Amino acid sequence: MFRPARMKKIRLLLPVDQEDRFLREIGKLGILQVKTVDKRPPGFNPDVKIDLEKNNLLSLIRRCDTILNRLPKEGIIIQLIGKSNRIDPPEEEEDEIYNNAQSILNDAENKLNKWEKLKILKLSTRKQFSLRVFSLLKNNLIVLKSVRRTDYLVILEGWVKRDDVDKLIETIPEPVKSECLISLEESVILGREVLKVRLATVVQNHSILEKALSSHGVASFSSEGGEGLETEEIEEAIDIDSIKRQTTLLKKVLLKRLEILKAKASIVRVESSICLEGWVKEKDLEKLVSTLKKSYTYELSVEDPDRWEEPPVALENPPIIRSFETITLMFGTPGYRQVDPTPILALTYAIFFGLMFADVFDGMLLLLFSLLLHRGLGSRSWEGRRLSEILITISFSSIVFGFITGEFMGGAVKIPVLWFNGFEDPMYFLWIAILLGVIQLTVGLVIGFVNELLLKRFRNAFEKLAWLMLLHGSIIVLLYYSHYLNWDFYLYSGSIIAVSGLILMAIINPRNLMEVTRLVSNVVSYTRIVAINISHAGVSRAFWLLASPLIYSGNPIVGLLAGGAILLVTHFFIVFIESFIAFAHSLRLHFVEFFSKFFEPEGNIFKPLSLAF
């Protein structure tokens, strides 16, 4: 915590025949980032097959994406809160799936083509197919699903109701009937018995037979856009879920192979050996060594990063804080030798959001949505899981600050004020917001000072110190003139500190004197916490004033139902709009005011070889 994980640089020699097995095992652990070998030894032999296989894999993955994009999409609500049925390929079947990739994709594309043709006819499921056939049989003697032709024969296939069999036979003209073969087969559609019928006659009789049948009604699928579908294909219900499952499994297998190929592209091969270089966390080094000791012939060297090297950055924080790493990484990756601001960000972000969105009921609604999001979107992606965890944390903060400030549905439910109410005492709240801003700016400048010392950039470190002196010296003077500090000692000491900061700033970089007003704007920016809180509370009170006449009307049951419905709907609206505003402004306070004091996003995130998708 506060510092990225310590990294070790490793150099590994293995026999070529152990390469694939090692990469698979280490990929399951997700502890090693393979890097391009710096010094390639004599006799280096680049493997041209890797690029060819990589291009083939990319082509197959694109085909998988095309198929998945053609499949029907889940609704946005289901995607957000519906639990995902995670599909993982069995390890023992991965090679078989990979070897059959072409046939799996061909089969999926063929089925999808058939499904799209059936969809035009609204027959993409067995139920839809059955409904369509039965509805056509109500008004027609026969429903034709195909007409087959040879040089001498015409074969009509379709369905007929059991009660209409005699009528069908009577309809066929006598000259044709002697040259016509009829076969009937039991079938069930929508729980009702029908008969599959086949009529075969010579080509010369086709027009006569067609005219006779049409007098009693003939319906045909092929005339409605079903050309190109065979008889069996029309009756077959295409299993879209099966197509999605098989394609998703194949894509995961292909992505695993692609990750291994990317790693192999960075490895040097000399005769019958490979040379691999990479980064591993110091705490995971023992896992790597124990894996190698199991069944590998190897030579391993471990080194600390050189001073000029910038190792990859792996942020390490406790589980309750880890999700806020997403916000840190949105701004950028801190350098390997810099301070990780995530623990501080997690605390201040929750406080700022809770103050802006302080309401017990609205916090509970946001918590409910966050839990549903964690169950749904959180089960679909790593990013979705972390976002939902952030929302859960700040939801609790809203509830806590709702109790502290006595806010519950804009006053609909009266609860005691434990500390202060921002809507009723905005000046006191304003002082609290400014105090929080000064504390956060101070922390940011202190972190910047420490970062510069760690990087041995002493000139920049003294510049951060100058800003600290100017900030706190000015605050002491302002408190004196505001009569919070009465001794002249505070006036003199504050003035000396502030002026010393200005002089130090002018010595280091005179241009900074032009940016002194920026420090004032940084502090004033924290007053937005008060503005958004008052806006939120004001909107809640307005909706309560709208609903209260109904609730206290003469009819208590109708009034409670109508007023309660208005409050519930309006607070759903408040949660959707106001929480987004509070979230965005909390981001701004951290990105613009806080991070600008110390954060240099110059690091590269640690990306170990991982076969987990």
Side-chain angles (χ1 to χ4, degrees), residues 352 356 525 528-529 585-591 593-594:
F352 292 166
M356 293 182 197
S525 184
R528 71 183 65 241
I529 296 174
H585 281 279
S586 296
L587 275 180
R588 188 197 182 281
L589 287 175
H590 285 85
F591 284 4
E593 321 300 345
F594 183 47

Side-chain angles (χ1 to χ4, degrees), residues 138-207:
K138 286 182 179 179
N139 303 313
N140 295 279
L141 174 63
I142 187 172
V143 175
L144 294 179
K145 58 184 177 182
S146 67
V147 179
R148 300 184 182 184
R149 297 174 182 271
T150 68
D151 292 339
Y152 305 102
L153 294 176
V154 174
I155 303 171
L156 309 181
E157 295 183 338
W159 299 270
V160 64
K161 290 187 287 188
R162 182 180 292 276
D163 296 340
D164 289 338
V165 172
D166 293 338
K167 185 177 181 181
L168 173 66
I169 295 173
E170 291 173 1
T171 302
I172 301 173
E174 287 298 331
V176 176
K177 194 177 295 183
S178 60
E179 297 177 336
C180 184
L181 295 175
I182 304 176
S183 71
L184 300 170
E185 182 181 339
E186 296 285 345
S187 181
V188 177
I189 295 179
L190 288 178
R192 300 190 184 185
E193 292 184 356
V194 294
L195 294 174
K196 284 186 180 180
V197 61
R198 287 185 180 85
L199 300 175
T201 187
V202 294
V203 172
Q204 293 84 349
N205 292 335
H206 180 221
S207 59

Side-chain angles (χ1 to χ4, degrees), residues 371-424:
L371 292 172
L372 291 173
L373 199 66
H374 188 267
R375 176 184 179 274
L377 187 63
S379 68
R380 296 170 186 271
S381 68
W382 176 83
E383 294 85 359
R385 185 176 186 82
R386 288 206 161 182
L387 173 62
S388 61
E389 289 172 351
I390 292 172
L391 291 177
I392 289 170
T393 302
I394 61 179
S395 299
F396 278 113
S397 178
S398 296
I399 295 170
V400 170
F401 279 102
F403 279 114
I404 289 173
T405 58
E407 284 290 337
F408 197 117
M409 296 183 78
V413 178
K414 300 296 182 183
I415 60 174
V417 178
L418 299 181
W419 184 7
F420 70 94
N421 185 282
F423 191 82
E424 296 173 0

Side-chain angles (χ1 to χ4, degrees), residues 428-461:
Y428 182 76
F429 191 11
L430 190 65
W431 282 113
I432 292 174
I434 291 174
L435 176 62
L436 287 172
V438 170
I439 292 172
Q440 189 177 56
L441 291 174
T442 301
V443 172
L445 289 169
V446 169
I447 294 174
F449 179 73
V450 173
N451 276 342
E452 299 299 345
L453 289 179
L454 290 173
L455 296 170
K456 297 184 178 181
R457 298 189 303 208
F458 299 110
R459 183 184 180 89
N460 293 347

